[in-house]
Amino acid sequence: MFKLTVYDRETITPLRSLMTNIGSVVAALFVISIVFLLCGVNPVYAIGKIFAGSFGSMYGFKETVTKAIPLILTGAGLTLAFRAKFWNIGAEGQILMGALMGTWVGLTWGSVLPSFLLIPLMFVAGFLGGALLGLIPAILKIKFSINEVISTLMLNYICAELITMLIVGPWKGNTRFGFPGTNNLSEAALLSVIPGSRIHYGTLMLAIVAVVILSIIVYRTRFGYEVRVIGENSEAGKYAGIDFFRTTLVIMVISGGLAGIAGIGELAGIHHYLGYPASISSGYGFTAIIVAWLAKLNPMYVLVSALFFAGILVGGDAIQISLGLPGATVQIVNGILLVFLIMGDYFLKHRVVVGFSNREHLTK
Amino acid sequence: MRKIETLEMVNISKSFQGKFANQGINLKINSGEILGLLGENGAGKTTLMNILYGLYQPDSGEIKINGKNVRITSPIDSIQQGIGMVHQHFMLIQNHSVIENIALGYYKTPFFFPKIRIHEKVVEFSRKFSFAIEPYKKVWQLSAGEQQRVEIIKALLNGADLLILDEPTSVLTPQEIKELFRILNDMKNEGHMIILISHKLDEIMDICDRVTVLQKGKIAGHADTAGMDKKSLARMMIGRDVLFNVNREPLPKGEQVLKVSNLHVLGDKGISAVKDVSFDVFANEIFGIAGVAGNGQKELAEAITGIRPVRSGTVFAGLKNITNMSPRKIYDHGVSHVPEERIKFGIAPGLFLYDNAILKQHHLKKFSRKMFLEYGRIKNHTRDLVDSYNVAAHSIEVQIRNLSGGNIQKLILGREISEKPSLLVASHPTYGLDVGATEYLREQLLKRRREGGAVLLFSEDLDEIFELCDRIAVMFQGEFTGILDSSDSEKLSDIGLMMAGSVRY
């Protein structure tokens, strides 16, 4: 009979960490292949197509970078929340809230303020929007012990419906021929892009700066230390006299705020008006959860993992078009990848030895 | 009819991660016998018994019942063979009644109306061994001794001829221990066999017929208790002589460092856990608080160190009122804390050794400039701690979870006393540590006392209390049943009764 023995690994080298992640992705691709086979598609061809579509062409790569921008910002914010074991599933709503606040600023002052004032103002408004939305579950958790998974998740729907209400009601634009959506923001409110692409480089730079600052915060500051202690052992945090309320509030201001900035990028860089919530953020807030996880909650690695998942999103679009697969295929691919990455994490932290039991020896 | 007349474990070995927990162990027990299994923490006693109970599989070796080889691959096998085990931490569901708990662990519980059958059985057993037990009480309402009796009934009901008790006295008052031993003796006379795991020499001498001593996973010896004395048993257990008395030189009483007045604190369930407690602690003193676990010691320590709110009353550190201050402020006022359950409270297991070395001090100027941590200084400080407190670690850049309990505790103690606090609150600082680490930690506490510090020591280990403390308070149900001077041997002989609340001074 098989016998599995599990040991804790004493040390985890960066190389092992990398190899485990690659192994997880390979194993996931294997299972994804089965899904493609069930759809009647040659898996090698389909997977090749995903990566060819996202990284194999200049057009595809530009799209990949474009989609990586919100994933970097949101994913980096989530690494901080997850590190403190605050399960923020509400990044999607925080992105939307950022976009909503940005729209408000853009519509109100769009024709008054010059670009160099308006755009920073929109980013600040977006940050505040996401941050304020993030504060709600933080306060509910610390003061009333309400599970943050539920509250952050439910706030997503509230935000989405709030936007829907605004775009069919008070904010409905008169240039939309009766379709829901606000009017386009004024020229001054739009982010410039790298010519020939949709890469709104201003947000991209903000995202990279955010990643660097977050890394410093987590590994070099007192606040980051407190976040790591709380996440490792909240009882020890209490014993060490860490102020949970204050720390959690700051975590969620940063995590929600970065998602809000991502919302501004999508609004002012891509769409230029506030439309249906599903078009403003097509699930970036959820994909960012996987991004943060694949990055092992290290903000620096988010740059890589965000690019990877942006590639899958773009490649998914490509196979939808070229192979006629349903849109849900990409979500299946993402889901399988997440499951395997989490499993890989277990094997990274533990050593599992398969052996044969020596029961025969006992009963001889 | 007895299922087991004799039980033998032959040449049992078991290793974890390449380290032997048990190596070539032989052990034999006959019906109507109480066998003591003696050894320090980590000597492999519990591993061996878990093998017998089917929780672990040995790497090699055989188990023989009545001379025949048996295979025990799970607790179900061992229960069917007639083996029962009472774990150190009771496996009971707190919100269920005694009857319900017993029904759950009884393999012949009928599907319909289980309580009626079980009730008869419980009454039968409690009469047979003259237990006092109320079948319809919820488990959380029972004392530790009563909970243990529920566990014993569970085992007997399943037809256990061999009963394994893992450290059964660690949570009992002296009176409850007497009662347990009476029950065990009755069972022995009925023809049951009992294996008693313990590291307490007195108990082994008191009740066991024979003793098997384990040391570092190997057999250190077998003996009849009749021909042994405590000293030679102790030598067998740790391989050298132990100091039963540490010299604690008299010191002049220093100034008052802690004054607790009329303190009231609530426990986790909102019930009063500390009731009107007042005492003071002076420099050059170790003030001990003895008592059986769960009598408010934890709540008292947490209230003094700021983790738990004070309901009423005051706590002064020196001249400063620290009542209900945050733990960090209290630390800054010179009160540091070695928490009980070191892994649960004292460290962040996944962080590095040097991160853990500053757990309560990262806000101090020496380790941070403005909002940034000074890792250079932190690492130097950690190296100093590791050197001066004998922490065995490959490097300071390993996750602290990889250290043994003793080394973690040394680091925590070093961390807490390196800043020379005026008062150290130490909760069960040597619990679960081996003799070497225990001696070392005690010596450090005495050193702190010599240097002019004060220690408030919570301990369930009376030997430790007697050895270290200048004054001793006994806690029972949230109150002090007395504060005694350690030289007052006449009153101290009543400490067991004070712990049970039947004598007050």
Side-chain angles (χ1 to χ4, degrees):
Chain A
M1 218 186 119
F2 277 116
K3 192 173 79 168
L4 293 179
T5 324
V6 180
Y7 303 115
D8 284 348
R9 263 185 221 287
E10 293 222 343
T11 48
I12 298 164
T13 60
L15 179 70
R16 176 178 293 284
S17 185
L18 180 71
M19 294 312 288
T20 310
N21 271 337
I22 292 175
S24 305
V25 170
V26 169
L29 288 177
F30 182 75
V31 175
I32 289 164
S33 301
I34 297 173
V35 175
F36 282 131
L37 279 176
L38 291 172
C39 298
V41 178
N42 177 352
V44 179
Y45 181 73
I47 291 169
K49 198 85 186 164
I50 289 179
F51 289 103
S54 51
F55 296 100
S57 71
M58 201 56 207
Y59 169 77
F61 185 67
K62 283 190 256 180
E63 273 303 285
T64 301
V65 173
T66 308
K67 295 205 176 208
I69 296 170
L71 291 179
I72 295 171
L73 279 163
T74 314
L78 288 182
T79 60
L80 188 69
F82 290 170
R83 201 175 268 280
K85 295 216 163 73
F86 189 97
W87 305 117
N88 177 14
I89 314 295
E92 185 77 0
Q94 289 145 17
I95 292 173
L96 293 176
M97 205 58 187
L100 190 156
M101 293 285 281
T103 308
W104 178 66
V105 170
L107 290 177
T108 312
W109 288 296
S111 51
V112 194
L113 291 177
S115 198
F116 72 91
L117 285 178
L118 186 60
I119 286 177
L121 192 63
M122 282 170 68
F123 273 117
V124 170
F127 184 89
L128 288 178
L132 287 173
L133 194 69
L135 281 179
I136 297 170
I139 294 169
L140 289 178
K141 178 173 185 181
I142 303 294
K143 291 292 175 197
F144 305 102
S145 306
I146 290 170
N147 186 319
E148 76 276 17
V149 174
I150 307 293
S151 55
T152 52
L153 187 66
M154 290 302 145
L155 279 170
N156 288 334
Y157 298 106
I158 292 174
C159 282
E161 296 307 320
L162 178 64
I163 287 183
T164 310
M165 190 191 83
L166 288 171
I167 60 171
V168 300
W171 285 7
K172 187 169 174 182
N174 49 18
T175 59
R176 290 265 159 245
F177 309 107
F179 288 104
T182 64
N183 284 332
N184 271 357
L185 298 180
S186 67
E187 278 298 317
L190 303 185
L191 297 170
S192 36
V193 295
I194 294 174
S197 76
R198 301 200 295 162
I199 302 173
H200 37 113
Y201 54 83
T203 325
L204 179 60
M205 273 156 30
L206 263 181
I208 293 170
V209 170
V211 162
V212 173
I213 293 179
L214 256 184
S215 299
I216 295 172
I217 288 179
V218 170
Y219 295 108
R220 292 282 147 200
T221 65
R222 274 161 49 174
F223 169 73
Y225 178 81
E226 294 182 350
V227 170
R228 285 183 290 142
V229 169
I230 290 180
E232 273 296 327
N233 183 354
S234 64
E235 294 289 344
K238 225 179 281 171
Y239 156 81
I242 293 171
D243 184 341
F244 276 58
F245 188 56
R246 194 189 64 108
T247 312
T248 310
L249 291 191
V250 176
I251 288 168
M252 283 311 288
V253 163
I254 296 175
S255 183
L258 289 178
I261 288 180
I264 298 293
E266 293 309 290
L267 172 79
I270 308 284
H271 301 288
H272 303 167
Y273 74 98
L274 190 67
Y276 271 122
S279 69
I280 296 291
S281 172
S282 51
Y284 289 131
F286 296 111
T287 306
I289 295 172
I290 324 179
V291 167
W293 210 262
L294 177 63
K296 297 279 179 251
L297 304 187
N298 182 331
M300 276 299 184
Y301 297 166
V302 164
L303 290 174
V304 181
S305 65
L307 209 59
F308 178 78
F309 275 100
I312 289 179
L313 291 179
V314 173
D317 288 346
I319 57 166
Q320 253 182 71
I321 296 161
S322 61
L323 299 175
L325 289 172
T329 317
V330 186
Q331 286 162 26
I332 293 177
V333 169
N334 273 345
I336 292 173
L337 276 168
L338 178 63
V339 169
F340 272 85
L341 287 169
I342 292 174
M343 286 198 289
D345 203 49
Y346 180 82
F347 288 104
L348 186 63
K349 288 183 180 144
H350 303 89
R351 194 160 59 93
V352 180
V353 177
V354 185
F356 293 94
S357 92
N358 46 7
R359 201 175 281 172
E360 301 76 23
H361 184 80
L362 271 177
T363 50
K364 205 164 20 188
Chain B
M1 203 204 84
R2 305 235 151 267
K3 290 187 208 157
I4 313 181
E5 294 292 338
T6 64
L7 182 135
E8 248 183 300
M9 295 179 88
V10 185
N11 210 14
I12 298 280
S13 293
K14 172 78 182 172
S15 61
F16 295 104
Q17 279 180 298
K19 274 187 209 146
F20 276 107
N22 288 153
Q23 196 176 3
I25 293 197
N26 295 300
L27 177 153
K28 194 176 176 195
I29 178 167
N30 300 311
S31 150
E33 228 180 17
I34 301 183
L35 174 72
L37 195 56
L38 180 70
E40 290 184 65
N41 291 299
K45 305 176 300 246
T46 302
T47 305
L48 185 66
M49 287 302 109
N50 281 340
I51 289 172
L52 186 54
Y53 194 56
L55 288 169
Y56 293 148
Q57 299 302 306
D59 298 336
S60 65
E62 294 164 3
I63 298 172
K64 292 182 180 182
I65 290 179
N66 304 336
K68 277 203 298 202
N69 273 331
V70 289
R71 47 185 269 193
I72 297 175
T73 56
S74 74
I76 296 172
D77 286 354
S78 72
I79 287 168
Q80 281 172 354
Q81 297 285 358
I83 299 170
M85 184 154 177
V86 176
H87 295 270
Q88 190 175 4
H89 304 287
F90 304 135
M91 309 282 179
L92 297 173
I93 298 168
Q94 296 286 319
N95 287 333
H96 283 190
S97 68
V98 170
I99 286 266
E100 285 164 337
N101 267 287
I102 292 174
L104 200 59
Y106 182 39
Y107 72 105
K108 280 193 286 196
T109 299
F111 190 78
F112 292 106
F113 310 113
K115 285 186 188 174
I116 302 172
R117 263 294 290 291
I118 301 293
H119 185 97
E120 292 165 10
K121 288 272 180 191
V122 171
V123 169
E124 181 193 323
F125 273 97
S126 48
R127 194 172 304 141
K128 190 163 159 193
F129 296 108
S130 41
F131 284 0
I133 203 143
E134 292 178 53
Y136 290 101
K137 259 198 178 173
K138 304 277 188 214
V139 165
W140 62 266
Q141 297 170 310
L142 304 182
S143 73
E146 289 170 315
Q147 294 190 26
Q148 193 171 53
R149 274 171 244 158
V150 177
E151 286 280 22
I152 294 176
I153 293 185
K154 260 167 73 180
L156 292 180
L157 209 53
N158 280 326
D161 290 332
L162 167 63
L163 194 64
I164 307 165
L165 296 138
D166 190 357
E167 305 273 1
T169 60
S170 58
V171 290
L172 303 184
T173 61
Q175 274 64 30
E176 283 177 317
I177 293 174
K178 251 189 209 160
E179 175 66 9
L180 172 70
F181 285 179
R182 182 192 63 74
I183 294 167
L184 294 184
N185 266 322
D186 285 357
M187 289 173 56
K188 170 183 147 182
N189 295 334
E190 283 275 311
H192 288 278
M193 49 179 88
I194 293 159
I195 298 180
L196 188 84
I197 306 178
S198 181
H199 61 246
K200 294 181 187 158
L201 302 170
D202 293 323
E203 289 171 22
I204 298 278
M205 299 295 291
D206 264 13
I207 186 153
C208 298
D209 303 304
R210 288 191 303 119
V211 57
T212 292
V213 184
L214 290 185
Q215 192 199 332
K216 290 180 184 151
K218 292 183 196 159
I219 295 278
H222 302 277
D224 288 336
T225 47
M228 291 293 277
D229 62 14
K230 237 171 98 174
K231 262 223 168 94
S232 39
L233 260 187
R235 198 178 308 120
M236 218 190 229
M237 177 163 86
I238 63 168
R240 63 184 167 85
D241 283 313
V242 214
L243 296 169
F244 274 107
N245 292 303
V246 171
N247 25 343
R248 178 163 38 83
E249 72 276 27
L251 288 173
K253 204 173 187 180
E255 58 191 61
Q256 192 179 54
V257 293
L258 179 77
K259 182 164 181 58
V260 172
S261 314
N262 307 96
L263 195 70
H264 285 266
V265 183
L266 293 185
D268 287 335
K269 285 182 182 144
I271 301 163
S272 191
V274 176
K275 301 165 198 161
D276 202 27
V277 163
S278 302
F279 65 99
D280 38 20
V281 182
F282 298 91
N284 294 330
E285 180 181 52
I286 298 182
F287 187 96
I289 294 185
V292 176
N295 277 298
Q297 298 97 316
K298 177 173 177 246
E299 288 81 1
L300 177 58
E302 289 181 350
I304 292 171
T305 52
I307 299 172
R308 185 180 289 269
V310 170
R311 189 125 190 264
S312 68
T314 55
V315 184
F316 275 80
L319 296 173
K320 187 78 194 171
N321 186 348
I322 57 164
T323 318
N324 280 332
M325 275 189 180
S326 77
R328 183 173 297 175
K329 285 233 177 75
I330 290 177
Y331 178 81
D332 291 341
H333 282 111
V335 178
S336 67
H337 183 201
V338 174
E340 67 174 66
E341 294 188 66
R342 60 193 85 93
I343 311 274
K344 194 172 161 202
F345 297 100
I347 56 164
L351 298 188
F352 288 139
L353 200 58
Y354 62 77
D355 284 319
N356 278 288
I358 54 158
L359 190 56
K360 286 174 80 182
Q361 296 140 357
H362 72 282
H363 63 290
L364 298 182
K365 276 215 176 91
K366 49 193 273 206
F367 299 128
S368 59
R369 197 169 50 199
K370 298 254 165 64
M371 57 189 289
F372 293 100
L373 290 173
E374 299 262 5
Y375 271 107
R377 286 198 209 160
I378 290 169
K379 285 181 185 173
N380 283 336
H381 169 74
T382 309
R383 278 185 208 104
D384 287 347
L385 276 187
V386 166
D387 290 345
S388 29
Y389 293 92
N390 280 330
V391 182
H394 306 303
S395 140
I396 60 168
E397 300 189 22
V398 293
Q399 293 185 336
I400 197 164
R401 71 165 96 231
N402 295 320
L403 268 60
S404 72
N407 284 309
I408 289 175
Q409 191 71 327
K410 284 179 193 170
L411 185 84
I412 292 176
L413 184 73
R415 178 180 79 201
E416 296 302 315
I417 62 184
S418 64
E419 297 295 313
K420 307 233 178 293
S422 49
L423 175 73
L424 173 70
V425 178
S427 300
H428 313 287
T430 62
Y431 180 83
L433 301 185
D434 61 38
V435 169
T438 300
E439 261 179 30
Y440 182 80
L441 283 162
R442 289 180 185 170
E443 184 45 49
Q444 293 300 317
L445 295 180
L446 288 170
K447 191 174 155 209
R448 195 67 212 114
R449 168 181 178 268
R450 274 199 300 278
E451 291 168 352
V455 179
L456 178 60
L457 174 70
F458 291 83
S459 183
E460 282 163 57
D461 184 342
L462 285 178
D463 290 339
E464 177 165 279
I465 292 268
F466 289 143
E467 191 179 305
L468 298 178
C469 297
D470 300 290
R471 284 187 300 149
I472 298 161
V474 182
M475 212 167 172
F476 174 71
Q477 294 190 346
E479 294 172 301
F480 278 178
T481 48
I483 300 177
L484 305 176
D485 211 273
S486 65
S487 54
D488 192 348
S489 51
E490 193 184 326
K491 285 179 181 167
L492 280 177
S493 59
D494 286 337
I495 199 162
L497 296 167
M498 292 171 74
M499 284 163 71
S502 43
V503 170
R504 280 165 198 267
Y505 285 110

